[in-house]
Amino acid sequence: MIECKSVNKIVTTTEGQLQILRDINLKVEDGQTLAIVGASGSGKSTLLSLLAGLDEVSSGEIILNGQPLHALDEEQRALMRGANVGFVFQSFMLVQSLSALENVMLSAQLAGVDDAKGRAEAILEQVGLGHRAKHYPNQLSGGEQQRVAIARAFITRPKILFADEPTGNLDATNGELVEQLLFNLNAESGTTLILVTHDSVLAGKCQRQVIMHAGELTESTSPSEQQRHVG
């Protein structure tokens, strides 16, 4: 389970302090699928980074799998991420000098997974890329790179998967394929899925949606309300 209690994020700019998130309260149950929607610049990606332990809160509490992220230092948060979290970035974030197989293996090796190569080969087959295992990122399409990124995120069998605009750089066909993959892996593994998206169709496939507006979070219950805020 993930829980936020009165989370605030403030950054210092040349013009003074800027409050990006204001008094965020959120609870996500194990195995749930949640979409965070809202306009660009509303704070969605910042919240995702805080929930995943990639950034620190300015004040408030975040509990992830029973552990207080807000009380951990960077090294402790890194260990927590390695044990519990997978993250899929919009820009893929693959290592260009490594093959698809090596990119997926690297995540497993860093997490101390046994038989990293065998596990990587199996999950690349699962995402339909077994035949592309030896190819480098610049030899793969955007959709293929995103599927490698998803395989990399899932190889450690994380309890929670975070995805930041996972279909944002993909065409309609590849976007739909990646959507299916995320939800299939979620269903098969019981992994909690939390994603940020502008895509109303993708958001609508989640069990819950919350709306981020000017750094504040509200629950969305009405389909028409959800549609208005996905943009």
Side-chain angles (χ1 to χ4, degrees):
M1 185 181 73
I2 305 171
E3 187 171 7
C4 289
K5 300 177 182 179
S6 300
V7 166
N8 292 275
K9 181 64 178 179
I10 300 170
V11 298
T12 301
T13 71
T14 55
E15 298 178 356
Q17 290 194 322
L18 174 65
Q19 184 148 11
I20 300 176
L21 298 178
R22 186 185 304 274
D23 293 328
I24 301 295
N25 292 284
L26 177 68
K27 184 180 290 187
V28 185
E29 301 294 340
D30 291 342
Q32 195 169 55
T33 57
L34 171 73
I36 303 172
V37 303
S40 296
S42 59
K44 305 185 303 298
S45 293
T46 298
L47 176 58
L48 204 69
S49 293
L50 292 174
L51 294 176
L54 295 171
D55 195 4
E56 295 181 273
V57 301
S58 298
S59 63
E61 301 179 1
I62 298 180
I63 310 297
L64 187 148
N65 198 36
Q67 297 296 313
L69 281 182
H70 55 282
L72 305 181
D73 61 27
E74 172 52 36
E75 183 176 352
Q76 292 169 324
R77 290 201 311 274
L79 290 172
M80 171 64 70
R81 288 195 303 271
N84 296 281
V85 168
F87 204 106
V88 179
F89 299 90
Q90 179 179 359
S91 55
F92 317 138
M93 300 291 285
L94 301 178
V95 180
Q96 296 298 310
S97 60
L98 300 180
S99 69
L101 178 63
E102 290 166 340
N103 265 283
V104 179
M105 284 176 60
L106 179 61
S107 179
Q109 290 165 339
L110 291 173
V113 173
D114 292 333
D115 189 21
K117 183 178 181 182
R119 182 88 70 88
E121 289 172 337
I123 198 165
L124 280 173
E125 287 287 349
Q126 191 175 357
V127 301
L129 290 177
H131 64 298
R132 305 284 274 170
K134 295 182 179 180
H135 289 72
Y136 290 86
N138 65 3
Q139 298 173 311
L140 303 173
S141 70
E144 288 172 333
Q145 289 184 63
Q146 191 62 298
R147 281 186 277 160
V148 173
I150 290 170
R152 179 185 59 188
F154 260 97
I155 192 170
T156 58
R157 296 173 183 164
K159 296 179 177 68
I160 306 158
L161 180 69
F162 297 95
D164 192 0
E165 297 285 3
T167 61
N169 285 332
L170 305 179
D171 59 34
T173 300
N174 279 304
E176 184 176 349
L177 182 60
V178 165
E179 287 175 21
Q180 292 174 347
L181 188 58
L182 285 170
F183 286 100
N184 287 346
L185 291 171
N186 160 260
E188 292 166 6
S189 305
T191 300
T192 304
L193 175 62
I194 301 177
L195 56 88
V196 159
T197 185
H198 284 89
D199 184 339
S200 59
V201 175
L202 175 56
K205 292 180 180 179
C206 292
Q207 295 165 342
R208 284 177 65 199
Q209 294 185 43
V210 291
I211 300 165
M212 181 70 74
H213 178 69
E216 298 185 352
L217 198 65
T218 57
E219 190 89 16
S220 178
T221 55
S222 157
S224 60
E225 182 185 11
Q226 294 167 357
Q227 193 73 28
R228 284 201 310 274
H229 287 82
V230 180

